[in-house]
Amino acid sequence: MSVIVVTGAARGVGRACVDRLRDEADRLLAVDLEAPGIEGVEGIACDVSDPDAVARVANRARELGSFWSLVHAAGISPTMADPRRVFEVDLVGTQLLLDAFEPLVEAGSSAVCFASSAAYQVTMLGPDPELDAFVEDPMANDFLDRAAARFDDSGLAYAWAKRGVIRATARAAVTWGRRGGRVNSISPGLIDTGMGRQEFEAQPIMQVMLDNTPVGRLGQSEEVAALVAFLVSDDASFISGIDILIDGGGLEGLKALARG
């Protein structure tokens, strides 16, 4: 039996992915900090920054059948935690999942991990080779200590953690590819979710971003889920190792604003 795993499955875009993909495999494993109670799928609790919890999810997927896809939507936003925890959940958690599921990969398996348009915005003023090198090695023993020392702003930590997610998925595309699998990431912009609304309330820059988004509105969870569904489908069988912005043109809008 084929198995899909969706993290962050209880709400927002993760839940939209569950609804979009539930009929695309024989079994769907819905993962969140507390086991989601979604009819027709199996829920499992997991803190993605906990290696043992992540291993349990991978083992359960193995027990259920043939691994088809991992959709990793779980994560935290800047208002939810300090910089260290942002890196721990958003970047280290992503690497843990990619590593844990790699042994399950077979021909046709795929993964989509969620990054963010913030990963592009943070480099609008120019590249930072030192920080790019830093996020390349999230499993280093002292990584989180160094992250906490480098960042005192959760917003910047979030952006660089998500930049690290893009790099982690690109690396995994190589190792998964040797087993016949594919890995991509997506970078949503402003999406109408509970997490997104929380950021709007806390950060005035969010309204500036919306005002300069060319399509003139927030994205919807279902639109992101549609992109995910394409990337894990056989129609995307030659797409691997890339990141796709889904931001309504927001990044280009901000660049135009900066140019005046």
Side-chain angles (χ1 to χ4, degrees), residues 4-73:
I4 295 175
V5 178
V6 179
T7 73
R11 59 189 63 82
V13 178
R15 176 57 192 268
C17 289
V18 170
D19 293 339
R20 182 64 184 251
L21 296 172
R22 63 165 71 231
D23 295 327
E24 300 301 320
D26 298 307
R27 302 292 296 270
L28 192 147
L29 190 58
V31 181
D32 214 300
L33 199 56
E34 296 182 2
I38 303 173
E39 185 176 356
V41 304
E42 179 177 334
I44 185 170
C46 175
D47 176 346
V48 297
S49 68
D50 179 347
D52 292 335
V54 169
R56 287 193 292 272
V57 173
N59 288 336
R60 182 57 182 152
R62 182 187 288 108
E63 292 170 354
L64 290 174
S66 177
F67 170 55
W68 185 58
S69 186
L70 167 68
V71 176
H72 177 38

Side-chain angles (χ1 to χ4, degrees), residues 112-120 162-163 165-167 169-170 183-188 227 231 239-246 251:
V112 175
C113 297
F114 278 54
S116 169
S117 63
Y120 294 86
K162 291 300 189 178
R163 192 163 174 82
V165 168
I166 293 172
R167 293 299 309 137
T169 55
V183 185
N184 295 291
S185 59
I186 64 172
S187 287
L227 173 59
L231 286 174
I239 301 175
S240 192
I242 66 162
D243 182 76
I244 298 178
L245 267 170
I246 177 167
L251 179 66

Side-chain angles (χ1 to χ4, degrees), residues 77-81 193-203 206:
S77 60
T79 61
M80 297 172 68
T193 64
M195 184 184 293
R197 289 188 288 274
Q198 181 174 320
E199 296 301 312
F200 256 91
E201 292 174 2
Q203 301 190 46
M206 303 292 280

Side-chain angles (χ1 to χ4, degrees), residues 153-178:
D153 179 86
S154 291
L156 279 175
Y158 176 81
W160 279 100
K162 291 300 189 178
R163 192 163 174 82
V165 168
I166 293 172
R167 293 299 309 137
T169 55
R171 292 192 303 272
V174 177
T175 56
W176 283 40
R178 296 180 186 127

Side-chain angles (χ1 to χ4, degrees), residues 98-234:
L98 289 170
D99 291 347
F101 274 86
E102 184 179 321
L104 279 65
V105 172
E106 55 190 68
S109 299
S110 65
V112 175
C113 297
F114 278 54
S116 169
S117 63
Y120 294 86
Q121 295 161 12
V122 77
T123 59
M124 284 177 56
L125 297 178
D128 191 326
E130 183 181 354
L131 284 177
D132 271 327
F134 171 69
V135 299
E136 282 281 337
D137 191 15
M139 302 312 293
N141 289 335
D142 60 347
F143 177 79
L144 291 175
D145 290 337
R146 287 189 290 143
R150 281 177 176 268
F151 293 90
D152 57 9
D153 179 86
S154 291
L156 279 175
Y158 176 81
W160 279 100
K162 291 300 189 178
R163 192 163 174 82
V165 168
I166 293 172
R167 293 299 309 137
T169 55
R171 292 192 303 272
V174 177
T175 56
W176 283 40
R178 296 180 186 127
R179 305 174 67 94
R182 298 182 297 110
V183 185
N184 295 291
S185 59
I186 64 172
S187 287
L190 301 178
I191 309 299
D192 187 14
T193 64
M195 184 184 293
R197 289 188 288 274
Q198 181 174 320
E199 296 301 312
F200 256 91
E201 292 174 2
Q203 301 190 46
I205 188 62
M206 303 292 280
Q207 186 63 51
V208 175
M209 292 167 61
L210 178 58
D211 291 342
N212 289 276
T213 295
V215 301
R217 63 173 176 83
L218 298 173
Q220 300 300 309
S221 295
E222 292 76 15
E223 293 173 304
V224 181
L227 173 59
V228 170
F230 168 69
L231 286 174
V232 301
S233 73
D234 290 339

